[in-house]
Amino acid sequence: MTTDHKIPRTVPRKSATFDDYTLSEIRRAAATGIYDIRGGGTKRKVPHFDDLLFLGASISRYPLEGYREKCGTNVVLGSRFAKKPIEIKIPITIAGMSFGSLSAQAKEALGRGASAVGTSTTTGDGGMTPEERGHSSKLVYQYLPSRYGMNPDDLRKADAIEVVIGQGAKPGGGGMLLGQKISARVASMRTLPEGIDQRSACRHPDWTGPDDLEIKIQELREITDWEKPIYVKVGAARPYYDTALAVKSGADVVVLDGMQGGTAATQEVFIEHVGIPTLAAIRPAVQALQDLGMHRKVQLIVSGGIRNGADVAKCLALGADAVSIGTAALVALGDNDPALAAEYAELGTVPGAYDDWHEGRDPAGITTQDPVLAARLDPEKAGRRLANYLSVLALEAQTIARACGKSHVHNLEPEDLVSLTIEGAAMARVPLAGTDWIPGRGNY
Amino acid sequence: MTNAHCTFDLAAGSVRDLNQALHGLDLDKNPRLWRVLNPNGGHAIAVGLDAPVTVEIDGHVGYYCAGMNKSATVLINGNAGVGVAENMISGVVHVRGDASQAAGATAHGGLLVIDGNASARCGISMKGIDIVVKGSIGHMSAFMGQAGTLTVFGDAGEALGDSLYEARLFVRGSVASLGADCVEKEMRDEHKALLHARLEAAGAAGEVDVSEFRRYGSARNLYHFHVDNVDAY
Amino acid sequence: MCGIVGLFIKNPKMESQLGPLLASMLEVMTGRGPDSAGFAIYGEGREGTVKISLRGQVSTDFSAIAADLEPAAGQDIPLTVRSSHAILEVPAAREAAVRAALAERHPGIMVVGSGQRMEIYKEVGLPADVARRFDLAGMKGTHGIGHTRMATESAVTTAGAHPFSTGPDQCLVHNGSLSNHNVLRRALSREGIGFTTDNDSEVAAGYLTWRMGKGASLKEALVSSLDALDGFFTFVVGTESGFAVLRDPIACKPAVMAETDDYVAFGSEYRALADLPGIAQAKVWEPKPATVYSWERAA
């Protein structure tokens, strides 16, 4: 019997449900008995600003010429109650990231870059370092559940205070820093033993709820003689209610962080499955401000996955006053650089995928406390890279705004946008391109 | 330097005016002794002080009295609301009555004395403060206590010292239950000496016998994530 | 989130001060709850008669409605109108018939509560304005509870304001945020409990009504709510003879009580109690978590 004709086999097919990543994660969980911890924001594809497009000038609308016909980008933050609101020159700020999760050099670089273009940086869960205050012309001081390093002197040195209720990567979660990064200096700033794994509170210790937040904000204002704008930061979950309650509690500024927002370290499941996309959070937040008559009186800063000037312009068009960047700022400094591919390979990863920042072995010297690695980052050069990137964001946003006929980026409005997708249209509350249809309104 | 004292009546002036007056004091010209009348449960009274002055408040105060205190002495002749002396850096706060929740929360230093009872979460997240409570304390006290001492003449409520770091707890009465990773520890001579020093600083050295106290501290099992401790999380 | 106040008069000579004192306590709690306010007051009552608290509009012709309901009541209906609310007095035996007729013939008028002595008033607006509209300062009685509201997840509407009635002469006010109220609302609806809002506090009130309808005492119902309700809460429940207080086991939401020979008072902050007569000598304390406290006038 001859068998010289082979029976065709089907091509090997992997499961979409049990994909390679999922299989590897199950194996890892079975080996360790503990959840996976990593940094960054959601890596899954979710509806985002790429779903939206601007309607540029045509016959009914006229564009502005570049250079001579100015397109303003400045923003005043904190005009509601603060004696000294802050003015930033571009509508992009640097989001809160701790000294501890980042090296001192990285914090210095962020300060240098932001100051060069006239915007602010934000401290994180470790408190304020002299380097950052020294190098940031405008510094926002975070007030977190952990209260690590919190003190009235730094409160008074700050230009604004950000009461953190949560962040987009983990709405409902607290800070996480593992022993590898609790160096002597970090430990001393946080009043923790060196080398231990930090456990952080997820609620503030002395207030819970907007009724008590109101009293806490009053206290912070009293301590600082009502000088500083008070921001309230939330992870995007129920943005309409959270924004309304932040306003009712007395906030000057609301900071809203979507699920693409990064963290130094938390459980993978938290990042991927809790919190909503930035795109879905903005319109409800703006609606809350409008319903209270507070749009543009209480400013809205949006963060989580802002990457380019188009993202900036889209956030502003949807009603935000400014945006904040975290992940993008680190990439501008040099995070996940392909030039370090060999070292990433030693860590079992590739450039662009490296997210085990909690291990503190970052070859770029950014998310590490190891002095040898941290020394690789030159704060001056990295600061210049950040300044360049921030300038590009602003220029791109201006280019788009001019094309839409706006003399200030704040004059961008939702009607300048359409969506390529139904989800994008529903979330941004703008029509599907070429149609009048906004899904999700009324009974659609 | 002046020894004059100043009276501020909160029935006539605002908390804002009082705090503004207390901030940026020139001790050569301004009084070092302040008496505050009619606090009426108001919030944020005498917060953010940063000078070695004494503020005596006649009546009950609301939330966050003496918040972020530095160097000052604040006496409350009444009860204190939520978060008295929260985030204190140095100085002394003395509550003659009872204190509400989160007394001394996240404070880095200084001394907080409560003559009456303290409520839940006394010393939560404490980072170096010394707290002495002559009455009893409520549940979840010293939660995540990182540093400092909490001394209680009376009883402690449920879940004392849950998730404790290095704060040291001394309780003379009963403890309803201990929180995760908080254990009773041996009370040796050096601890009695430490406790005696704390009591002396609080002006209470003769009132109680240090031998009657039991010491509680962290078992340090949660210092590194480990799957075997998963029940504690 | 919210502010809660409660005042139970022990000394009969102080009953005329209940209204003014409660009104001033409510106003002090404006910061905690600027959106809307409400209160329940336990005043005069007559054996065999029930007072039905109705809510309509300021323009509602309550006299016409009362006249229209007389057949169901079997007699004239004495009526007191205060702004958008009205109190109808009907024979207890006729309450069900009157309410059925009301629901059928005047569906836009809501019953906010009923009882021999309890009257409930609640509206959107600043607490001081709400108290003034209903002339709380002119009311007297043995006890009352009040609430100032900062809406968290449900809308700012009158229907969403507290107190929520849980049964005859009973009502509840809540400070906090429940986390399982949606699933409970559906379960209770299947058991026949009616809801008119998306408010979590209404679910708590409905739960207590349901438990007591099954034979539990108020105290038993409150104790079982510690298991059934998830989230953060301080409850104050008004009853015909007094009031009860319960905090959840975590007890993050505030609660302060004060007692003298003349009264027992409750406030979310001490500030609400600061102007009460004799407060300087009062015993002031905080209720323990997961513990039911109650005060009653002897029958």
Side-chain angles (χ1 to χ4, degrees), chain A residues 214-240:
Chain A
E214 187 175 347
I215 305 174
K216 171 54 68 173
I217 289 179
Q218 182 196 352
E219 183 207 5
L220 294 173
R221 291 198 194 278
E222 282 298 317
I223 291 171
T224 54
D225 294 327
W226 287 72
E227 285 181 1
K228 330 260 174 202
I230 308 267
Y231 301 10
V232 171
K233 178 171 177 176
V234 279
R238 298 178 181 80
Y240 181 86

PDB file of all heavy atoms in Angstrom, chain A residues 214-240:
ATOM      1  N   GLU A 214     -14.215  68.216  51.695  1.00  0.00           N
ATOM      2  CA  GLU A 214     -14.407  69.664  51.717  1.00  0.00           C
ATOM      3  C   GLU A 214     -13.694  70.283  52.917  1.00  0.00           C
ATOM      4  O   GLU A 214     -13.062  71.332  52.822  1.00  0.00           O
ATOM      5  CB  GLU A 214     -15.911  69.958  51.783  1.00  0.00           C
ATOM      6  CG  GLU A 214     -16.230  71.414  51.645  1.00  0.00           C
ATOM      7  CD  GLU A 214     -17.722  71.671  51.603  1.00  0.00           C
ATOM      8  OE1 GLU A 214     -18.492  70.705  51.443  1.00  0.00           O
ATOM      9  OE2 GLU A 214     -18.093  72.838  51.742  1.00  0.00           O
ATOM     10  N   ILE A 215     -13.789  69.603  54.050  1.00  0.00           N
ATOM     11  CA  ILE A 215     -13.150  70.119  55.263  1.00  0.00           C
ATOM     12  C   ILE A 215     -11.639  69.972  55.159  1.00  0.00           C
ATOM     13  O   ILE A 215     -10.878  70.844  55.610  1.00  0.00           O
ATOM     14  CB  ILE A 215     -13.698  69.380  56.510  1.00  0.00           C
ATOM     15  CG1 ILE A 215     -15.224  69.489  56.557  1.00  0.00           C
ATOM     16  CG2 ILE A 215     -13.094  69.955  57.781  1.00  0.00           C
ATOM     17  CD1 ILE A 215     -15.886  68.687  57.651  1.00  0.00           C
ATOM     18  N   LYS A 216     -11.171  68.894  54.562  1.00  0.00           N
ATOM     19  CA  LYS A 216      -9.733  68.690  54.380  1.00  0.00           C
ATOM     20  C   LYS A 216      -9.156  69.767  53.455  1.00  0.00           C
ATOM     21  O   LYS A 216      -8.097  70.335  53.733  1.00  0.00           O
ATOM     22  CB  LYS A 216      -9.488  67.284  53.810  1.00  0.00           C
ATOM     23  CG  LYS A 216      -8.070  66.993  53.357  1.00  0.00           C
ATOM     24  CD  LYS A 216      -6.985  67.239  54.402  1.00  0.00           C
ATOM     25  CE  LYS A 216      -7.051  66.272  55.554  1.00  0.00           C
ATOM     26  NZ  LYS A 216      -5.880  66.442  56.466  1.00  0.00           N
ATOM     27  N   ILE A 217      -9.858  70.070  52.373  1.00  0.00           N
ATOM     28  CA  ILE A 217      -9.379  71.116  51.462  1.00  0.00           C
ATOM     29  C   ILE A 217      -9.323  72.452  52.197  1.00  0.00           C
ATOM     30  O   ILE A 217      -8.378  73.232  52.054  1.00  0.00           O
ATOM     31  CB  ILE A 217     -10.262  71.200  50.196  1.00  0.00           C
ATOM     32  CG1 ILE A 217     -10.017  69.973  49.322  1.00  0.00           C
ATOM     33  CG2 ILE A 217      -9.999  72.481  49.420  1.00  0.00           C
ATOM     34  CD1 ILE A 217     -10.834  69.922  48.045  1.00  0.00           C
ATOM     35  N   GLN A 218     -10.327  72.683  53.030  1.00  0.00           N
ATOM     36  CA  GLN A 218     -10.315  73.914  53.826  1.00  0.00           C
ATOM     37  C   GLN A 218      -9.070  73.965  54.707  1.00  0.00           C
ATOM     38  O   GLN A 218      -8.414  75.003  54.829  1.00  0.00           O
ATOM     39  CB  GLN A 218     -11.587  73.958  54.672  1.00  0.00           C
ATOM     40  CG  GLN A 218     -11.727  75.219  55.503  1.00  0.00           C
ATOM     41  CD  GLN A 218     -12.769  75.081  56.617  1.00  0.00           C
ATOM     42  OE1 GLN A 218     -13.506  74.102  56.704  1.00  0.00           O
ATOM     43  NE2 GLN A 218     -12.818  76.064  57.487  1.00  0.00           N
ATOM     44  N   GLU A 219      -8.723  72.835  55.321  1.00  0.00           N
ATOM     45  CA  GLU A 219      -7.533  72.810  56.172  1.00  0.00           C
ATOM     46  C   GLU A 219      -6.270  73.134  55.368  1.00  0.00           C
ATOM     47  O   GLU A 219      -5.435  73.937  55.794  1.00  0.00           O
ATOM     48  CB  GLU A 219      -7.369  71.433  56.836  1.00  0.00           C
ATOM     49  CG  GLU A 219      -6.187  71.367  57.795  1.00  0.00           C
ATOM     50  CD  GLU A 219      -5.620  69.971  57.957  1.00  0.00           C
ATOM     51  OE1 GLU A 219      -6.056  69.029  57.278  1.00  0.00           O
ATOM     52  OE2 GLU A 219      -4.701  69.821  58.795  1.00  0.00           O
ATOM     53  N   LEU A 220      -6.137  72.509  54.185  1.00  0.00           N
ATOM     54  CA  LEU A 220      -4.947  72.748  53.366  1.00  0.00           C
ATOM     55  C   LEU A 220      -4.873  74.210  52.956  1.00  0.00           C
ATOM     56  O   LEU A 220      -3.791  74.801  52.911  1.00  0.00           O
ATOM     57  CB  LEU A 220      -4.964  71.842  52.129  1.00  0.00           C
ATOM     58  CG  LEU A 220      -4.850  70.348  52.413  1.00  0.00           C
ATOM     59  CD1 LEU A 220      -5.060  69.540  51.137  1.00  0.00           C
ATOM     60  CD2 LEU A 220      -3.495  70.006  53.023  1.00  0.00           C
ATOM     61  N   ARG A 221      -6.011  74.796  52.663  1.00  0.00           N
ATOM     62  CA  ARG A 221      -6.012  76.220  52.313  1.00  0.00           C
ATOM     63  C   ARG A 221      -5.607  77.064  53.505  1.00  0.00           C
ATOM     64  O   ARG A 221      -4.866  78.049  53.379  1.00  0.00           O
ATOM     65  CB  ARG A 221      -7.403  76.654  51.832  1.00  0.00           C
ATOM     66  CG  ARG A 221      -7.812  76.066  50.495  1.00  0.00           C
ATOM     67  CD  ARG A 221      -8.952  76.848  49.883  1.00  0.00           C
ATOM     68  NE  ARG A 221      -9.581  76.154  48.786  1.00  0.00           N
ATOM     69  CZ  ARG A 221      -9.126  76.130  47.544  1.00  0.00           C
ATOM     70  NH1 ARG A 221      -8.017  76.774  47.229  1.00  0.00           N
ATOM     71  NH2 ARG A 221      -9.778  75.470  46.608  1.00  0.00           N
ATOM     72  N   GLU A 222      -6.115  76.705  54.682  1.00  0.00           N
ATOM     73  CA  GLU A 222      -5.766  77.478  55.873  1.00  0.00           C
ATOM     74  C   GLU A 222      -4.271  77.406  56.163  1.00  0.00           C
ATOM     75  O   GLU A 222      -3.648  78.389  56.534  1.00  0.00           O
ATOM     76  CB  GLU A 222      -6.554  76.959  57.085  1.00  0.00           C
ATOM     77  CG  GLU A 222      -7.997  77.444  57.112  1.00  0.00           C
ATOM     78  CD  GLU A 222      -8.095  78.948  57.219  1.00  0.00           C
ATOM     79  OE1 GLU A 222      -7.342  79.552  58.015  1.00  0.00           O
ATOM     80  OE2 GLU A 222      -8.918  79.532  56.481  1.00  0.00           O
ATOM     81  N   ILE A 223      -3.691  76.206  56.002  1.00  0.00           N
ATOM     82  CA  ILE A 223      -2.263  76.046  56.285  1.00  0.00           C
ATOM     83  C   ILE A 223      -1.437  76.908  55.325  1.00  0.00           C
ATOM     84  O   ILE A 223      -0.412  77.472  55.705  1.00  0.00           O
ATOM     85  CB  ILE A 223      -1.846  74.563  56.177  1.00  0.00           C
ATOM     86  CG1 ILE A 223      -2.470  73.776  57.327  1.00  0.00           C
ATOM     87  CG2 ILE A 223      -0.322  74.403  56.198  1.00  0.00           C
ATOM     88  CD1 ILE A 223      -2.311  72.274  57.203  1.00  0.00           C
ATOM     89  N   THR A 224      -1.887  77.028  54.089  1.00  0.00           N
ATOM     90  CA  THR A 224      -1.121  77.773  53.078  1.00  0.00           C
ATOM     91  C   THR A 224      -1.728  79.142  52.803  1.00  0.00           C
ATOM     92  O   THR A 224      -1.460  79.745  51.760  1.00  0.00           O
ATOM     93  CB  THR A 224      -1.037  76.966  51.774  1.00  0.00           C
ATOM     94  OG1 THR A 224      -2.377  76.613  51.358  1.00  0.00           O
ATOM     95  CG2 THR A 224      -0.238  75.699  51.974  1.00  0.00           C
ATOM     96  N   ASP A 225      -2.547  79.622  53.750  1.00  0.00           N
ATOM     97  CA  ASP A 225      -3.113  80.971  53.647  1.00  0.00           C
ATOM     98  C   ASP A 225      -3.817  81.232  52.313  1.00  0.00           C
ATOM     99  O   ASP A 225      -3.751  82.336  51.764  1.00  0.00           O
ATOM    100  CB  ASP A 225      -2.021  82.024  53.908  1.00  0.00           C
ATOM    101  CG  ASP A 225      -1.510  81.978  55.347  1.00  0.00           C
ATOM    102  OD1 ASP A 225      -2.313  81.669  56.250  1.00  0.00           O
ATOM    103  OD2 ASP A 225      -0.310  82.206  55.575  1.00  0.00           O
ATOM    104  N   TRP A 226      -4.477  80.184  51.805  1.00  0.00           N
ATOM    105  CA  TRP A 226      -5.308  80.312  50.607  1.00  0.00           C
ATOM    106  C   TRP A 226      -4.526  80.736  49.366  1.00  0.00           C
ATOM    107  O   TRP A 226      -5.121  81.205  48.395  1.00  0.00           O
ATOM    108  CB  TRP A 226      -6.483  81.288  50.850  1.00  0.00           C
ATOM    109  CG  TRP A 226      -7.524  80.703  51.735  1.00  0.00           C
ATOM    110  CD1 TRP A 226      -7.417  80.473  53.080  1.00  0.00           C
ATOM    111  CD2 TRP A 226      -8.818  80.239  51.360  1.00  0.00           C
ATOM    112  NE1 TRP A 226      -8.564  79.897  53.569  1.00  0.00           N
ATOM    113  CE2 TRP A 226      -9.443  79.739  52.525  1.00  0.00           C
ATOM    114  CE3 TRP A 226      -9.518  80.196  50.160  1.00  0.00           C
ATOM    115  CZ2 TRP A 226     -10.725  79.204  52.531  1.00  0.00           C
ATOM    116  CZ3 TRP A 226     -10.806  79.664  50.167  1.00  0.00           C
ATOM    117  CH2 TRP A 226     -11.392  79.179  51.347  1.00  0.00           C
ATOM    118  N   GLU A 227      -3.219  80.530  49.384  1.00  0.00           N
ATOM    119  CA  GLU A 227      -2.435  80.986  48.227  1.00  0.00           C
ATOM    120  C   GLU A 227      -2.500  80.034  47.049  1.00  0.00           C
ATOM    121  O   GLU A 227      -2.536  80.440  45.908  1.00  0.00           O
ATOM    122  CB  GLU A 227      -0.964  81.152  48.639  1.00  0.00           C
ATOM    123  CG  GLU A 227      -0.712  82.380  49.460  1.00  0.00           C
ATOM    124  CD  GLU A 227       0.751  82.527  49.822  1.00  0.00           C
ATOM    125  OE1 GLU A 227       1.559  81.668  49.418  1.00  0.00           O
ATOM    126  OE2 GLU A 227       1.086  83.497  50.514  1.00  0.00           O
ATOM    127  N   LYS A 228      -2.466  78.721  47.353  1.00  0.00           N
ATOM    128  CA  LYS A 228      -2.175  77.755  46.277  1.00  0.00           C
ATOM    129  C   LYS A 228      -3.442  77.142  45.691  1.00  0.00           C
ATOM    130  O   LYS A 228      -4.353  76.784  46.438  1.00  0.00           O
ATOM    131  CB  LYS A 228      -1.356  76.597  46.821  1.00  0.00           C
ATOM    132  CG  LYS A 228      -0.451  76.933  47.957  1.00  0.00           C
ATOM    133  CD  LYS A 228       0.942  77.132  47.527  1.00  0.00           C
ATOM    134  CE  LYS A 228       1.803  77.607  48.684  1.00  0.00           C
ATOM    135  NZ  LYS A 228       2.981  78.286  48.177  1.00  0.00           N
ATOM    136  N   PRO A 229      -3.474  76.957  44.384  1.00  0.00           N
ATOM    137  CA  PRO A 229      -4.568  76.182  43.800  1.00  0.00           C
ATOM    138  C   PRO A 229      -4.569  74.767  44.365  1.00  0.00           C
ATOM    139  O   PRO A 229      -3.511  74.185  44.587  1.00  0.00           O
ATOM    140  CB  PRO A 229      -4.213  76.150  42.304  1.00  0.00           C
ATOM    141  CG  PRO A 229      -3.234  77.243  42.098  1.00  0.00           C
ATOM    142  CD  PRO A 229      -2.520  77.443  43.388  1.00  0.00           C
ATOM    143  N   ILE A 230      -5.765  74.252  44.597  1.00  0.00           N
ATOM    144  CA  ILE A 230      -5.909  72.881  45.081  1.00  0.00           C
ATOM    145  C   ILE A 230      -6.513  72.057  43.947  1.00  0.00           C
ATOM    146  O   ILE A 230      -7.627  72.343  43.479  1.00  0.00           O
ATOM    147  CB  ILE A 230      -6.830  72.801  46.321  1.00  0.00           C
ATOM    148  CG1 ILE A 230      -6.385  73.787  47.389  1.00  0.00           C
ATOM    149  CG2 ILE A 230      -6.876  71.373  46.839  1.00  0.00           C
ATOM    150  CD1 ILE A 230      -5.444  73.284  48.427  1.00  0.00           C
ATOM    151  N   TYR A 231      -5.758  71.044  43.514  1.00  0.00           N
ATOM    152  CA  TYR A 231      -6.273  70.133  42.488  1.00  0.00           C
ATOM    153  C   TYR A 231      -6.829  68.904  43.206  1.00  0.00           C
ATOM    154  O   TYR A 231      -6.357  68.531  44.274  1.00  0.00           O
ATOM    155  CB  TYR A 231      -5.154  69.625  41.574  1.00  0.00           C
ATOM    156  CG  TYR A 231      -4.332  70.619  40.790  1.00  0.00           C
ATOM    157  CD1 TYR A 231      -4.378  71.992  40.991  1.00  0.00           C
ATOM    158  CD2 TYR A 231      -3.451  70.137  39.824  1.00  0.00           C
ATOM    159  CE1 TYR A 231      -3.574  72.857  40.252  1.00  0.00           C
ATOM    160  CE2 TYR A 231      -2.650  70.992  39.082  1.00  0.00           C
ATOM    161  CZ  TYR A 231      -2.716  72.346  39.306  1.00  0.00           C
ATOM    162  OH  TYR A 231      -1.914  73.188  38.576  1.00  0.00           O
ATOM    163  N   VAL A 232      -7.807  68.252  42.584  1.00  0.00           N
ATOM    164  CA  VAL A 232      -8.264  66.945  43.065  1.00  0.00           C
ATOM    165  C   VAL A 232      -8.119  65.966  41.910  1.00  0.00           C
ATOM    166  O   VAL A 232      -8.665  66.193  40.833  1.00  0.00           O
ATOM    167  CB  VAL A 232      -9.736  67.009  43.532  1.00  0.00           C
ATOM    168  CG1 VAL A 232     -10.272  65.605  43.821  1.00  0.00           C
ATOM    169  CG2 VAL A 232      -9.864  67.873  44.780  1.00  0.00           C
ATOM    170  N   LYS A 233      -7.366  64.894  42.138  1.00  0.00           N
ATOM    171  CA  LYS A 233      -7.098  63.928  41.057  1.00  0.00           C
ATOM    172  C   LYS A 233      -7.851  62.634  41.310  1.00  0.00           C
ATOM    173  O   LYS A 233      -7.790  62.067  42.413  1.00  0.00           O
ATOM    174  CB  LYS A 233      -5.598  63.638  40.971  1.00  0.00           C
ATOM    175  CG  LYS A 233      -5.243  62.604  39.905  1.00  0.00           C
ATOM    176  CD  LYS A 233      -3.736  62.494  39.681  1.00  0.00           C
ATOM    177  CE  LYS A 233      -3.435  61.391  38.660  1.00  0.00           C
ATOM    178  NZ  LYS A 233      -2.004  61.310  38.337  1.00  0.00           N
ATOM    179  N   VAL A 234      -8.544  62.166  40.268  1.00  0.00           N
ATOM    180  CA  VAL A 234      -9.241  60.875  40.352  1.00  0.00           C
ATOM    181  C   VAL A 234      -8.890  60.028  39.151  1.00  0.00           C
ATOM    182  O   VAL A 234      -8.637  60.552  38.067  1.00  0.00           O
ATOM    183  CB  VAL A 234     -10.779  61.018  40.362  1.00  0.00           C
ATOM    184  CG1 VAL A 234     -11.297  61.356  41.716  1.00  0.00           C
ATOM    185  CG2 VAL A 234     -11.263  61.991  39.334  1.00  0.00           C
ATOM    186  N   GLY A 235      -8.932  58.705  39.355  1.00  0.00           N
ATOM    187  CA  GLY A 235      -8.845  57.784  38.231  1.00  0.00           C
ATOM    188  C   GLY A 235     -10.220  57.732  37.576  1.00  0.00           C
ATOM    189  O   GLY A 235     -11.242  57.888  38.251  1.00  0.00           O
ATOM    190  N   ALA A 236     -10.265  57.546  36.281  1.00  0.00           N
ATOM    191  CA  ALA A 236     -11.548  57.594  35.568  1.00  0.00           C
ATOM    192  C   ALA A 236     -12.375  56.353  35.862  1.00  0.00           C
ATOM    193  O   ALA A 236     -12.011  55.242  35.483  1.00  0.00           O
ATOM    194  CB  ALA A 236     -11.303  57.727  34.067  1.00  0.00           C
ATOM    195  N   ALA A 237     -13.489  56.560  36.564  1.00  0.00           N
ATOM    196  CA  ALA A 237     -14.425  55.470  36.863  1.00  0.00           C
ATOM    197  C   ALA A 237     -15.840  56.006  36.674  1.00  0.00           C
ATOM    198  O   ALA A 237     -16.560  55.582  35.782  1.00  0.00           O
ATOM    199  CB  ALA A 237     -14.213  54.945  38.271  1.00  0.00           C
ATOM    200  N   ARG A 238     -16.212  56.970  37.490  1.00  0.00           N
ATOM    201  CA  ARG A 238     -17.523  57.618  37.371  1.00  0.00           C
ATOM    202  C   ARG A 238     -17.282  59.119  37.177  1.00  0.00           C
ATOM    203  O   ARG A 238     -17.579  59.929  38.064  1.00  0.00           O
ATOM    204  CB  ARG A 238     -18.350  57.390  38.639  1.00  0.00           C
ATOM    205  CG  ARG A 238     -18.640  55.939  38.907  1.00  0.00           C
ATOM    206  CD  ARG A 238     -19.431  55.729  40.190  1.00  0.00           C
ATOM    207  NE  ARG A 238     -19.660  54.316  40.420  1.00  0.00           N
ATOM    208  CZ  ARG A 238     -18.779  53.484  40.938  1.00  0.00           C
ATOM    209  NH1 ARG A 238     -17.595  53.932  41.308  1.00  0.00           N
ATOM    210  NH2 ARG A 238     -19.063  52.215  41.090  1.00  0.00           N
ATOM    211  N   PRO A 239     -16.749  59.492  36.020  1.00  0.00           N
ATOM    212  CA  PRO A 239     -16.256  60.862  35.894  1.00  0.00           C
ATOM    213  C   PRO A 239     -17.307  61.945  36.102  1.00  0.00           C
ATOM    214  O   PRO A 239     -16.984  63.020  36.599  1.00  0.00           O
ATOM    215  CB  PRO A 239     -15.690  60.918  34.465  1.00  0.00           C
ATOM    216  CG  PRO A 239     -16.235  59.721  33.777  1.00  0.00           C
ATOM    217  CD  PRO A 239     -16.504  58.690  34.812  1.00  0.00           C
ATOM    218  N   TYR A 240     -18.544  61.678  35.749  1.00  0.00           N
ATOM    219  CA  TYR A 240     -19.563  62.723  35.945  1.00  0.00           C
ATOM    220  C   TYR A 240     -19.717  63.033  37.426  1.00  0.00           C
ATOM    221  O   TYR A 240     -19.605  64.172  37.870  1.00  0.00           O
ATOM    222  CB  TYR A 240     -20.912  62.297  35.333  1.00  0.00           C
ATOM    223  CG  TYR A 240     -21.953  63.380  35.499  1.00  0.00           C
ATOM    224  CD1 TYR A 240     -22.069  64.413  34.566  1.00  0.00           C
ATOM    225  CD2 TYR A 240     -22.787  63.410  36.610  1.00  0.00           C
ATOM    226  CE1 TYR A 240     -22.989  65.434  34.733  1.00  0.00           C
ATOM    227  CE2 TYR A 240     -23.709  64.431  36.787  1.00  0.00           C
ATOM    228  CZ  TYR A 240     -23.807  65.438  35.847  1.00  0.00           C
ATOM    229  OH  TYR A 240     -24.714  66.456  36.030  1.00  0.00           O
TER     230      TYR A 240
END
